[in-house]
Amino acid sequence: MNTSGKTVFVTVGSTKFDALVDALVCEDVVETLRDCGFVRMIIQSGNSEVKTIHGASINEGVTTALVHGIQVVVWKFKKSLQDEYEKADLVIGHAGSGTIIEVLRLGKRMIAVPNETLLHNHQAELAEALESLNYLITCSTK
């Protein structure tokens, strides 16, 4: 894998967040990331359904593909995401409190995307509060 250039790490946590995974492998998003100097996107997909990525290869549950000039690697779970957070130049993830705390403790840039399918939409409240304090950026999958 190319070690120069920037890496974005995407995490959906332990649940299912199809909308986030789908949004991040779309052409517009991938091209924007590429134009910003990103060469790798690592996606922890959890229980999400990952659409077929053209030209992808699958080996021991890990999907890899070159998508519009970015190396995309997709896997479901690991015991710890610490190494992925540390290697990432940007983390895009669900707005779960545990994920946000881990990423911010490392001083990483984060885009938090609340999973609006979860009960009471508590992720949106947390993400919006932290965005108002300039700790992260929040957005939706729409």
Side-chain angles (χ1 to χ4, degrees):
M1 188 182 304
N2 182 357
T3 57
S4 63
K6 297 190 284 187
T7 298
V8 58
F9 176 60
V10 179
T11 177
V12 304
S14 60
T15 62
K16 183 175 179 164
F17 197 177
D18 294 351
L20 179 58
V21 175
D22 291 346
L24 287 166
V25 295
C26 82
E27 183 176 351
D28 291 343
V29 172
V30 173
E31 288 179 353
T32 298
L33 288 168
R34 185 196 62 219
D35 292 348
C36 291
F38 288 90
V39 297
R40 279 173 303 288
M41 182 184 327
I42 313 298
I43 301 174
Q44 179 267 321
S45 62
N47 291 313
S48 301
E49 294 294 324
V50 179
K51 291 181 179 176
T52 302
I53 300 172
H54 180 71
S57 65
I58 301 172
N59 184 17
E60 296 184 16
V62 177
T63 302
T64 58
L66 188 62
V67 179
H68 302 287
I70 290 185
Q71 182 69 37
V72 176
V73 178
V74 183
W75 40 264
K76 289 190 172 288
F77 296 105
K78 285 187 178 178
K79 288 186 183 210
S80 172
L81 301 181
Q82 185 72 24
D83 287 345
E84 303 301 333
Y85 294 144
E86 289 175 359
K87 293 177 199 172
D89 297 288
L90 171 66
V91 176
I92 301 174
H94 70 112
S97 58
T99 298
I100 289 173
I101 289 168
E102 285 186 63
V103 172
L104 294 181
R105 275 190 184 146
L106 292 169
K108 298 293 181 168
R109 296 183 304 158
M110 181 172 193
I111 299 173
V113 185
N115 186 341
E116 297 173 359
T117 65
L118 298 178
L119 186 63
H120 304 301
N121 207 10
H122 65 282
Q123 289 189 355
E125 293 175 32
L126 176 61
E128 289 166 7
L130 291 172
E131 182 177 47
S132 74
L133 298 169
N134 296 316
Y135 284 109
L136 52 75
I137 295 171
T138 187
C139 66
S140 75
T141 58
K142 297 175 181 148

